[in-house]
Amino acid sequence: MRKILIYGGTTIVLILLAALLFIQVKGIPSYPVEKPPITLNTDSASLARGKKLASMLCASCHLNPDTRQLTGRPMVDAPKEFGEIHAPNITQHKTYGIGDWTEGEILFLLRTGIKRDGKYAPPYMAKLPLMADQDINAIIAFLKSNDRMVAAADIPDQPAKPSFLTKALTNTVFKPFPMPTAPIPMPDTSNAIELGGYLAKNLECFSCHSADFKSNDFLVPEHSEGYFGGGNKPLNEEGQVMPTPNLTPDKVTGIGNWSEEKFVKALKSGIKEGEPALRYPMKPYTELTDKEAAAIYKYLMSIPPISNKVERSPE
């Protein structure tokens, strides 16, 4: 009996080691690639909308402070557990950027997380499975435009070095999202809570302000652990953990006692009552209108409160 247990235990250990070795060697998984049809609207209003959204979504990772273009940069603020991350060049350069990507290939990546070579984009890359067709098309139109931010830049990418955890998660938990099977309309802008929810989800505010990047649900954001309750642990540029604050309407540990005016000012300017409200990696959303910022506030006031006291990192 003892020999059977020893043999059985040894077999389990060997199977586990083989599985770990397989994941390490296999790395990030690949999937079939599609090129969905897409028709872009390239009028001035669409391009302006696309630039606005890209400035809030793409630029936070891909904007290089030296080039002032979307040439990519080392992601020193990303959790170290995901490995060594470099945001790639997404300018119009045909070799180093996405200049020779088709609009459909960009759409497929943004919707599903699958790159044109079939590789899955790791969990730290923004994916937009719920964004309205009009908005995601505007982003793509901007990325394919002649705006200086995306003009072809002859700057090679630095390959990322995903950790074993990233490889394991992308082979088990994190999977590509399905392409939408029906049109996704824009939110009703006359309904503040609907508009605010749309922005809070599609600008990925919930991703940082929920409990943990690893437990976020991008298809049903409300199912994310600790939805908007804060406590996630992004890093600043010095590698210091910056726990995200609780944005639920809890009156003790959240923003339940904040006025709409205070919230809008903090979100758009980064200032509250004469002191900094936002610190890197969170930056002011200067691109938002007062109406949009107020709508986000109204949405946050409508979600269930979570009692979760998050201690602010020292200056």
Side-chain angles (χ1 to χ4, degrees), residues 281-301:
M282 177 67 183
K283 297 179 180 179
Y285 276 176
T286 57
E287 299 87 355
L288 291 174
T289 65
D290 286 351
K291 177 182 177 180
E292 290 169 331
I296 293 175
Y297 170 82
K298 290 182 172 67
Y299 171 72
L300 293 175
M301 290 298 105

Side-chain angles (χ1 to χ4, degrees), residues 216-252:
N216 284 331
D217 188 331
F218 288 89
L219 291 178
V220 188
E222 297 90 342
H223 291 176
S224 300
E225 182 181 341
Y227 185 61
F228 275 108
N232 206 346
K233 298 178 175 62
L235 307 178
N236 64 13
E237 292 175 302
E238 287 73 46
Q240 178 186 11
V241 174
M242 305 294 285
T244 57
N246 182 344
L247 297 185
T248 71
D250 184 76
K251 292 184 180 298
V252 177

Side-chain angles (χ1 to χ4, degrees), residues 16-64:
L16 179 60
L17 289 174
L20 296 177
L21 179 61
F22 173 78
I23 289 174
Q24 179 65 24
V25 173
K26 179 185 178 184
I28 305 297
S30 295
Y31 295 91
V33 177
E34 299 175 21
K35 297 181 182 181
I38 176 175
T39 301
L40 298 182
N41 189 341
T42 57
D43 61 27
S44 58
S46 295
L47 291 176
R49 176 71 174 178
K51 183 172 185 176
K52 172 178 176 173
L53 293 169
S55 296
M56 291 186 284
L57 281 167
C58 312
S60 60
C61 292
H62 294 274
L63 182 65
N64 186 295

Side-chain angles (χ1 to χ4, degrees), residues 40-196:
L40 298 182
N41 189 341
T42 57
D43 61 27
S44 58
S46 295
L47 291 176
R49 176 71 174 178
K51 183 172 185 176
K52 172 178 176 173
L53 293 169
S55 296
M56 291 186 284
L57 281 167
C58 312
S60 60
C61 292
H62 294 274
L63 182 65
N64 186 295
D66 296 323
T67 65
R68 301 306 300 167
Q69 291 182 271
L70 300 184
T71 52
R73 64 179 180 86
M75 295 294 294
V76 295
D77 49 322
K80 300 302 182 186
E81 60 195 284
F82 288 130
E84 187 177 314
I85 304 168
H86 296 269
N89 183 337
I90 58 171
T91 70
Q92 283 296 296
H93 197 280
K94 292 186 179 297
T95 302
Y96 300 131
I98 59 172
D100 65 345
W101 285 48
T102 67
E103 290 87 349
E105 288 171 336
I106 300 173
L107 174 63
F108 192 62
L109 169 62
L110 293 178
R111 285 294 195 202
T112 69
I114 301 174
K115 303 176 186 178
R116 69 185 305 202
D117 63 359
K119 285 287 187 181
Y120 177 66
Y124 39 77
M125 181 199 150
K127 302 169 185 69
L128 308 172
L130 304 179
M131 181 171 277
D133 297 328
Q134 182 178 322
D135 271 351
I136 202 167
N137 289 3
I139 291 175
I140 297 170
F142 169 72
L143 292 175
K144 299 293 282 186
S145 75
N146 59 4
D147 189 277
R148 185 191 176 281
M149 190 185 293
V150 294
D154 190 20
I155 299 177
D157 285 333
Q158 296 185 53
K161 298 177 181 177
S163 65
F164 177 79
L165 175 63
T166 297
K167 295 175 183 178
L169 289 173
T170 53
N171 276 281
T172 54
V173 179
F174 294 112
K175 300 292 183 181
F177 300 131
M179 280 294 293
T181 57
I184 302 179
M186 291 288 285
D188 179 359
T189 56
S190 67
N191 183 325
I193 292 178
E194 181 179 333
L195 174 61

